[in-house]
Amino acid sequence: MTNSPRLVLRHVHVIDGVAAGVRRDAAVVVRDGRIAEVVDAARAPAGEGIAVVDCAGAYLLPGLWDVHVHFEWPRLPDASIAELTLQYAANAREALTEAGVTAVRTAGTPHLIDVALKRAFEAGRLVGPRIFAGGWFLTTTAGHALATGFARPVDGPDAFVTAIREQIQGGVDHIKLNLTGGIIGPAWDRHWHSFFTPAELEAAFAICRQRGMKVMAHAANAEAVKAALRLGAHSVEHGYVMDDEALALFRERDAWYVPTLGITHLTPSQATSVREKRYVEERNLPASVNTRAEDAVGEHRAWFQRALKAGVKMALGSDLRPLRDAALLEIGLWVKDGATPRQALLAATRHAAELCGAADELGTVEAGKKADLIAVRGNPLDDVERLGELVLVVKDGRLVADHRSRY
Ligand SMILES: [Zn+2]
């Protein structure tokens, strides 16, 4: 293998997602798309056929994950499928190259555009993050997110079976089911409203079980969270309102919780950091949405904190747009709500990879794993905001962004 493509990232401090601390002044050797070894910088290989990238003391860590994303932004009314596809591809690429998001799990994408992008990115036809695709967001008539263009209303048990089969045939990795209302929506779409009839719930989960499809369940009240967990949901999204029984069920069923803090925490009166203030200004959500968010935030925060304390498996998913800002905002909110920087980083790397069933190949900086890596200028274990100072991004062993000249 003498002429195999080799990349050496030299003079990096490594946060590998396994050991607790930082390995100082190391070099990460990448070969054939995988991490070959991590050595002291002084022992870094050099010579013909080896591309050496001097990172000048940047902090190297696994690429970031966001396990609850929508590619849309800004919303384009009456856009064609072609226009949406181009917009999503650009937004996904920007998240990879400008924020270091090397993998995402989609939570609602119209026309299976996420499946198409996944294939294009995997084949190297376009540059973008790894995608774990869920296709359409399956809800009901008078359901949630109907104005987004990515929600597909389905009614009745048989219709759910058909819709889910169509998604499977279309190539999705998981099924997104919308069990309740949410924060953003009309008056008849509130997070304490549950949407499915018992027969619809049974049928939708049964066909997913039968076909081995993981269910990503949007469930925002305790009743729906528990129903989803009892029926075998792989992950529960949002969980604004839960109860002790729900927390116990997460652990009993070994299911994941994706809290999406940004949905209730990012309003003008709550934004504190520069990043948050810029986001609320640009997003400019209507006052009615901000009121609904602020009415829900206290309970949401409390259940996030209790789930964290109870040892519920959790991964980082933002549900925010644009994707470029989303993961970093959500990581900041985890820390603001009491997670340690390390807990937030693990949620956005190793644990997210576990949730997606990809932990054997991804999510940490270890020899043998696929080389999806980022380097940032300062130590994110001291301050997660340092993740915003992106130096470079490697995906599948290839340098896809090199921002060293910015610093
Ligand atoms: Zn969502």
Side-chain angles (χ1 to χ4, degrees):
M1 298 289 282
T2 48
N3 60 356
S4 61
R6 277 206 278 177
L7 173 69
V8 174
L9 304 169
R10 196 158 169 237
H11 295 306
V12 286
H13 305 309
V14 178
I15 299 167
D16 63 11
V18 183
V22 177
R23 177 170 174 168
R24 302 243 151 228
D25 205 23
V28 176
V29 182
V30 175
R31 191 186 303 135
D32 296 327
R34 289 180 186 269
I35 300 161
E37 55 180 343
V38 181
V39 298
D40 291 340
R43 290 189 46 235
E48 212 176 321
I50 301 177
V52 179
V53 177
D54 193 310
C55 298
Y59 288 76
L60 181 134
L61 58 157
L64 302 178
W65 293 55
D66 187 338
V67 300
H68 187 129
V69 310
H70 306 276
F71 292 124
E72 52 155 5
W73 189 261
R75 190 162 294 161
L76 302 173
D78 307 317
S80 67
I81 298 174
E83 284 171 312
L84 293 177
T85 304
L86 290 174
Q87 186 199 47
Y88 294 2
N91 287 350
R93 183 191 174 120
E94 189 182 43
L96 173 70
T97 61
E98 295 299 321
V101 175
T102 54
V104 298
R105 183 179 65 144
T106 56
T109 317
H111 312 293
L112 301 174
I113 295 171
D114 49 352
V115 175
L117 290 179
K118 171 195 170 105
R119 291 173 179 166
F121 295 158
E122 265 178 13
R125 293 192 294 272
L126 291 174
V127 172
R130 289 177 202 284
I131 295 177
F132 295 83
W136 290 94
F137 174 96
L138 300 181
T139 185
T140 57
T141 297
H144 179 57
L146 292 172
T148 60
F150 60 67
R152 179 174 167 192
V154 179
D155 297 290
D158 290 348
F160 269 101
V161 170
T162 303
I164 289 165
R165 284 178 175 148
E166 285 169 4
Q167 299 262 97
I168 295 169
Q169 192 169 318
V172 300
D173 299 300
H174 57 270
I175 300 292
K176 173 81 184 288
L177 295 181
N178 171 231
L179 274 60
T180 70
I183 299 298
I184 302 175
W188 40 263
D189 171 5
R190 304 306 298 262
H191 67 269
W192 53 83
H193 294 152
S194 294
F195 292 159
F196 283 47
T197 65
E200 287 170 339
L201 263 186
E202 285 290 340
F205 277 87
I207 190 67
C208 289
R209 266 198 310 277
Q210 187 185 327
R211 301 304 295 266
M213 293 301 290
K214 293 173 185 170
V215 174
M216 174 183 195
H218 166 122
N221 64 55
E223 179 207 2
V225 170
K226 290 187 285 187
L229 291 169
R230 288 198 181 102
L231 287 164
H234 180 69
S235 73
V236 168
E237 316 295 303
H238 314 303
Y240 304 133
V241 184
M242 298 204 275
D243 61 19
D244 289 330
E245 199 186 358
L247 292 192
L249 272 171
F250 271 108
R251 303 193 53 193
E252 193 183 304
R253 303 296 169 115
D254 202 28
W256 290 88
Y257 176 39
V258 179
T260 69
L261 297 176
I263 297 296
T264 60
H265 288 52
L266 291 176
T267 60
S269 68
Q270 296 183 89
T272 51
S273 69
V274 174
R275 188 184 309 286
E276 289 174 2
K277 285 178 177 160
R278 196 180 56 215
Y279 171 84
V280 296
E281 197 173 304
E282 284 176 8
R283 189 80 206 267
N284 194 24
L285 286 165
S288 58
V289 170
N290 289 327
T291 302
R292 280 168 70 156
E294 283 167 12
D295 287 346
V297 70
E299 255 190 306
H300 189 197
R301 179 182 296 117
W303 286 111
F304 166 75
Q305 290 169 339
R306 290 172 79 165
L308 193 66
K309 203 168 160 199
V312 171
K313 293 198 302 184
M314 289 160 75
L316 188 124
S318 68
D319 203 9
L320 302 172
R321 313 93 162 111
L323 209 52
R324 176 196 67 217
D325 300 330
L328 265 54
L329 283 162
E330 185 71 13
I331 290 169
L333 293 173
W334 274 54
V335 173
K336 213 161 145 179
D337 271 1
T340 63
R342 179 170 156 81
Q343 281 176 317
L345 283 179
L346 287 175
T349 55
R350 182 174 163 179
H351 297 158
E354 272 173 31
L355 183 156
C356 292
D360 290 349
E361 294 274 44
L362 293 158
T364 61
V365 184
E366 289 179 279
K369 286 205 172 173
K370 289 183 181 169
D372 282 10
L373 307 164
I374 61 171
V376 297
R377 200 159 163 236
N379 186 351
L381 292 173
D382 292 340
D383 178 1
V384 289
E385 286 300 311
R386 305 306 297 268
L387 293 168
E389 300 165 359
L390 189 66
V391 174
L392 56 82
V393 183
V394 171
K395 180 176 168 245
D396 263 325
R398 290 190 11 236
L399 196 59
V400 292
D402 183 353
H403 301 314
R404 284 177 294 166
S405 62
R406 288 181 185 174
Y407 302 102

